[in-house]
Amino acid sequence: GDSVTQMEGPVTLSEEAFLTINCTYTATGYPSLFWYVQYPGEGLQLLLKATKADDKGSNKGFEATYRKETTSFHLEKGSVQVSDSAVYFCALSDQQSNYQLIWGAGTKLIIKP
Amino acid sequence: EAGVAQSPRYKIIEKRQSVAFWCNPISGHATLYWYQQILGQGPKLLIQFQNNGVVDDSQLPKDRFSAERLKGVDSTLKIQPAKLEDSAVYLCASSLFWGREDIQYFGAGTRLSVL
């Protein structure tokens, strides 16, 4: 069945560092891919999405490119801020999952000033 | 546009007690989801409604959990009786429709502690 694998956290970076959080997926079809973010004490917010191969999702300085050849959707940001500290979840949905979200385990990001 | 509303934000109960959570989705959203999120894990889908019908409740522990969405708008999730392992954040999400371009919008969640 479908699955999503994320790099384990926590990831600790200094402010203004470059961020990469790896996400790979297994799916038989052509899934839509998502990054959600969960700030402390809050619910999940959609950060960005991509629905077909080579699409790039972007929002708030974050980017992720749908790479079908490597089945990946890595999250990147050029210069992180303390306010980016949160838990980031990669997810997919497709026909096999009945368009329900299949979630990664989440990656906790800690940004130090 | 108002987001997904959930209440209460926090609830502390003793095991074997009952508890209920309420969710009001974004206006016009046909699909409503309840998730359980245990600390350090991704959300686990408990039940999915399409309007007022159940699409999937395969992971809902039906011996103790129940949910309803009367009139296809707001929804209530109940646990009776609660167990220690039910301690988690219960998230409600809604989406405009159900399909490939679907985007789920989440409420802030209810944090349940069972003592």
Side-chain angles (χ1 to χ4, degrees):
Chain A
D2 293 350
S3 67
V4 174
T5 303
Q6 286 181 239
M7 64 188 292
E8 286 192 26
V11 173
T12 303
L13 296 171
S14 297
E15 208 166 17
E16 299 183 3
F18 184 87
L19 168 71
T20 301
I21 299 178
N22 290 337
C23 171
T24 57
Y25 67 89
T26 301
T28 54
Y30 298 90
S32 295
L33 301 173
F34 306 84
W35 277 101
Y36 278 84
V37 58
Q38 189 170 33
Y39 297 103
E42 299 185 14
L44 290 145
Q45 302 176 26
L46 178 67
L47 182 59
L48 52 85
K49 72 179 179 78
T51 58
K52 61 182 187 295
D54 300 325
D55 266 2
K56 178 184 284 187
S58 61
N59 186 24
K60 299 181 180 180
F62 291 89
E63 293 183 340
T65 300
Y66 189 143
R67 301 285 188 200
K68 189 162 178 62
E69 63 275 14
T70 54
T71 62
S72 65
F73 193 54
H74 303 322
L75 183 67
E76 297 182 335
K77 187 175 185 183
S79 176
V80 292
Q81 306 299 314
V82 172
S83 57
D84 294 326
S85 297
V87 181
Y88 292 81
F89 290 91
C90 185
L92 71 79
S93 77
D94 64 2
Q95 190 171 17
Q96 178 165 351
S97 74
N98 208 17
Y99 299 109
Q100 292 170 356
L101 286 169
I102 305 298
W103 298 88
T107 302
K108 185 173 184 177
L109 175 64
I110 301 169
I111 306 300
K112 297 190 172 182
Chain B
E1 178 182 86
V4 177
Q6 287 189 249
S7 67
R9 285 298 310 275
Y10 306 93
K11 191 74 178 178
I12 301 173
I13 61 172
E14 295 189 350
K15 60 183 179 184
R16 292 189 288 273
Q17 285 187 324
S18 302
V19 64
F21 313 126
W22 175 81
C23 172
N24 191 28
I26 293 172
S27 178
H29 280 198
T31 312
L32 186 147
Y33 307 81
W34 282 103
Y35 290 89
Q36 180 192 61
Q37 186 179 23
I38 293 173
L39 188 65
Q41 299 181 17
K44 171 189 169 183
L45 180 67
L46 293 176
I47 189 167
Q48 176 186 349
F49 292 95
Q50 182 73 8
N51 296 308
N52 60 350
V54 175
V55 172
D56 184 354
D57 63 357
S58 58
Q59 298 196 85
L60 187 73
K62 298 180 188 64
D63 58 334
R64 298 184 301 105
F65 286 63
S66 64
E68 60 183 11
R69 190 184 184 196
L70 300 176
K71 301 180 183 178
V73 182
D74 57 347
S75 175
T76 303
L77 176 69
K78 296 180 181 177
I79 307 175
Q80 180 180 11
K83 292 185 175 181
L84 296 177
E85 60 260 35
D86 298 332
S87 295
V89 176
Y90 291 84
L91 295 166
C92 179
S94 70
S95 62
L96 187 59
F97 55 93
W98 172 34
R100 180 170 177 77
E101 300 291 329
D102 183 28
I103 294 175
Q104 294 185 29
Y105 296 87
F106 286 79
T110 296
R111 183 177 298 276
L112 174 67
S113 297
V114 182
L115 306 178

